[in-house]
Amino acid sequence: MKKHNFYAGPSILPQYTIDKSIEGIRDFAGTGLSVLEISHRSKEFIACMDNAIGLVKELLDVPSGYQVIFLGGGASLQFAMVPMNLMNSRSAYLITGEWASKAFREAKIYGEALEVASSKDKNFSYIPKNYSLPSDVDYFHITTNNTIYGTQLREDPLVPVPLVADMSSDIFSRPVDVSRYSIIYAGAQKNLAPAGVAMVIIKEDVLGKVTRPIPTMLDYRTHIKAGSMFNTPPVFTVFAAEQTLKWLKELGGVKAIEKKNIEKAQMLYDEIERNKLFKPTVGDHEDRSLMNICFIMTDEYKELEKDFLEFAKSRGIIGIAGHRSVGGFRASTYNALPAESVKALVDTMKEFEKNR
Ligand SMILES: *Cc1c(COP(=O)(O)O)cnc(C)c1O
């Protein structure tokens, strides 16, 4: 039976990426060697790294003055690298979920981190608005898509201080005005590649302003200077990322995928609203994520949650259990998830409703 992969991360990748990865594992770029055993200093892999970086710049229209690097350690290491490299005295954080809170905790290790606003009062079911941002902070950190709670900030804020964004779960899902950000970072395993790498876009002129000593491996300048080859990069993950980026370009880029993402999300939110068994956890339409769609059962049918999960599983629908801090269901509708999978979930919801 066809499986529909709604996992939140690691998550579905394009079939193209999987097929090219299999080819690359057998024979990488005609070398007669596997991508799993190739030297990262080989000219073929250097070309792959350069191409991946070039595609990121092209797809997101990255302006000059910015660098793109691939680093190990996932998005979670960026929670620490950002304050280490950028914060002299104070920084500001918008607390919109668990990942934002984790980033905030790391910043506090290195200085005074301010919480400018939080949506914790309503279990992170909305994006705070109308907060005031101090003008003397070294940077302002936001999380554009809150993977666990299903909220998303789909506009690029224009702020008078350097803006840093964790885009782990919505990178490449829409066009982004990179010029508004000083740092954008994203773990690969949601919209790009298997786990093992974080992609970072950095405006070079924000670096070199802190006085603390930074360990060589944790200094962005090290990796910029070495073209992400200071130490051995996660070779296979970068290769897979290159494949996904090629796939996305072929498809028409971020504008084209955004259109598909809006259609997929609309289809599912419409059914959640229509179906008497379900309701969305995020009320405000403009805060609703296009990547992670969270919903629960209405009070009357609450006891059917387990049954629905089982029923969905029998239809090949995998990975829709909600995160333990929200409960209910979460359908992750990342770039690679085909509309047919969303349709399959909607049909399953309809069918389940019919029998009640
Ligand atoms: C998944 C995720 C992370 C954590 O990524 P790791 O690569 O596991 O460190 C951080 N932020 C957001 C928004 C995420 O979705």
Side-chain angles (χ1 to χ4, degrees):
M1 184 195 359
K2 177 166 171 49
K3 300 283 177 172
H4 303 284
N5 182 356
F6 287 92
Y7 276 127
S11 44
I12 187 165
L13 287 170
Q15 192 56 46
Y16 180 87
T17 302
I18 309 273
D19 292 344
K20 291 288 172 184
S21 294
I22 293 166
E23 276 175 35
I25 287 172
R26 293 222 166 87
D27 180 3
F28 171 60
T31 56
L33 300 175
S34 168
V35 68
L36 302 177
E37 58 181 3
I38 195 84
S39 165
H40 63 297
R41 304 280 177 204
S42 64
K43 75 173 191 315
E44 290 84 1
F45 182 70
I46 291 171
C48 163
M49 177 67 92
D50 288 348
N51 194 36
I53 291 171
L55 283 166
V56 172
K57 289 184 173 166
E58 186 183 337
L59 287 164
L60 291 180
D61 206 2
V62 176
S64 64
Y66 285 78
Q67 297 282 348
V68 174
I69 52 178
F70 286 99
L71 302 177
S76 299
L77 184 60
Q78 297 310 306
F79 296 165
M81 279 179 75
V82 165
M84 233 183 233
N85 282 266
L86 258 55
M87 177 159 59
N88 261 318
S89 54
R90 298 197 330 145
S91 60
Y93 280 71
L94 187 63
I95 309 301
T96 50
E98 210 153 297
W99 296 115
S101 306
K102 283 186 171 155
F104 184 49
R105 277 203 286 283
E106 289 299 298
K108 285 189 197 157
I109 298 173
Y110 297 98
E112 192 190 345
L114 311 167
E115 172 184 306
V116 297
S118 167
S119 47
K120 194 167 184 195
D121 58 337
K122 290 186 179 149
N123 201 30
F124 299 118
S125 60
Y126 68 102
I127 303 278
K129 285 155 201 115
N130 304 321
Y131 44 84
S132 69
L133 178 64
S135 60
D136 62 344
V137 291
D138 296 314
Y139 66 86
F140 176 42
H141 182 283
I142 59 172
T143 310
T144 51
N145 186 70
N146 299 285
T147 325
I148 293 172
Y149 300 92
T151 62
Q152 188 179 18
L153 183 64
R154 277 204 299 282
E155 272 165 29
D156 305 307
L158 187 56
V159 295
V161 298
L163 181 63
V164 175
D166 176 357
M167 293 195 187
S168 293
S169 50
D170 65 350
I171 191 81
F172 301 116
S173 69
R174 65 175 178 96
V176 167
D177 182 354
V178 176
S179 72
R180 292 198 172 177
Y181 299 86
S182 290
I183 293 186
I184 291 170
Y185 64 88
Q189 70 275 21
K190 315 283 164 58
N191 246 347
L192 189 58
V197 82
M199 186 206 75
V200 189
I201 303 173
I202 310 177
K203 193 176 186 192
E204 261 191 297
D205 70 8
V206 294
L207 299 176
K209 292 184 179 163
V210 294
T211 48
R212 76 174 55 82
I214 305 171
T216 310
M217 266 299 279
L218 302 179
D219 190 328
Y220 287 123
R221 289 170 301 182
T222 304
H223 301 283
I224 290 172
K225 211 168 118 202
S228 299
M229 297 269 202
F230 172 73
N231 71 323
T232 319
V235 170
F236 175 68
T237 308
V238 172
F239 171 77
E242 186 205 7
Q243 309 317 309
T244 303
L245 294 165
K246 282 198 249 180
W247 168 81
L248 184 53
K249 182 181 169 176
E250 190 66 27
L251 218 122
V254 287
K255 237 189 143 65
I257 204 83
E258 180 188 43
K259 190 164 169 280
K260 287 180 192 283
N261 288 333
I262 290 171
E263 286 164 6
K264 285 186 299 184
Q266 193 65 50
M267 196 192 327
L268 185 50
Y269 281 120
D270 282 351
E271 175 59 17
I272 295 167
E273 300 261 10
R274 188 210 60 77
N275 193 309
K276 68 174 191 281
L277 306 183
F278 302 100
K279 62 177 182 191
T281 60
V282 178
D284 201 336
H285 285 241
E286 70 170 7
D287 291 348
R288 286 181 183 172
S289 174
L290 303 185
M291 296 282 102
N292 309 99
I293 298 174
C294 295
F295 54 108
I296 51 179
M297 268 172 157
T298 51
D299 296 342
E300 202 181 328
Y301 296 99
K302 205 92 208 149
E303 75 284 2
L304 293 177
E305 271 186 18
K306 272 210 174 73
D307 292 351
F308 179 67
L309 277 178
E310 279 307 308
F311 184 69
K313 203 170 162 194
S314 75
R315 301 294 148 109
I317 306 233
I318 308 295
I320 58 160
H323 189 273
R324 62 188 176 281
S325 48
V326 183
F329 315 99
R330 168 177 54 176
S332 296
T333 50
Y334 295 121
N335 284 354
L337 186 86
E340 302 84 82
S341 289
V342 178
K343 176 84 171 35
L345 174 56
V346 165
D347 290 346
T348 301
M349 291 161 77
K350 286 188 171 141
E351 206 179 323
F352 193 73
E353 181 192 33
K354 229 186 274 160
N355 304 329
R356 309 294 132 186

